[in-house]
Structures are given as C-alpha cells and as structure tokens.
Amino acid sequence: MRTAATLPHADRAAQSQEKISAQLVADEHGYNDYDIAGHTCVHRACVPHEMQKGDYFNVYHGESSKSGCRWDGDLISSLRKVAA
C-alpha cells in the first residue's frame, strides 16, 4: 500500500481534494464500523473505540483486501493519507 508521502505530487493533490464521507453502520465488539464514500480505493474502515494517535486501524479496499491506516486523530484526515 502506498501512502500520500509516496505518491507523485499531482496524485497527492487529487487525493486531498476528494470529498470523503463516512457513515457509521455498527459500533459493536469494541469497534466503530464505517462505510466510506468518495475515496479512490477505501470502501470500509473499522476503528477501535480506544484509538490513540499513531495507532493503526483496518481499512478495506478492492474486492477482498485489508490494510492498516495510521490514526491521526480524525477518520477523514487519516483516510486522505491512504492511496491505491
């Protein structure tokens, strides 16, 4: 998985301009489960209830792929740093 830091400049700019939204669909078993819209690759995120900056949470993309995303204190801001 590439992060915004490894993307060419134009790709980073496009990623930061996206209108990303998250809708909470479940908050059971110690996680908030979100459907993600408007991201180039991520369609779901599962964020533990006890997140601290620098922790990683799961993001889902493609048909059946899962990756880690670093928490920066805000879901949308953290997701902007994830790229295909």
Side-chain angles (χ1 to χ4, degrees), residues 2-9 11-13 15-16 80-83:
R2 297 186 324 175
T3 63
T6 65
L7 291 173
H9 179 69
D11 289 345
R12 282 196 311 267
Q15 184 78 14
S16 66
R80 287 191 194 289
K81 297 172 184 151
V82 177

Side-chain angles (χ1 to χ4, degrees), residues 5 13 25 34 40 43-44 48 50 67 69:
V25 294
Y34 295 94
T40 56
H43 59 83
R44 180 178 171 216
E50 301 296 325
S67 298
C69 179

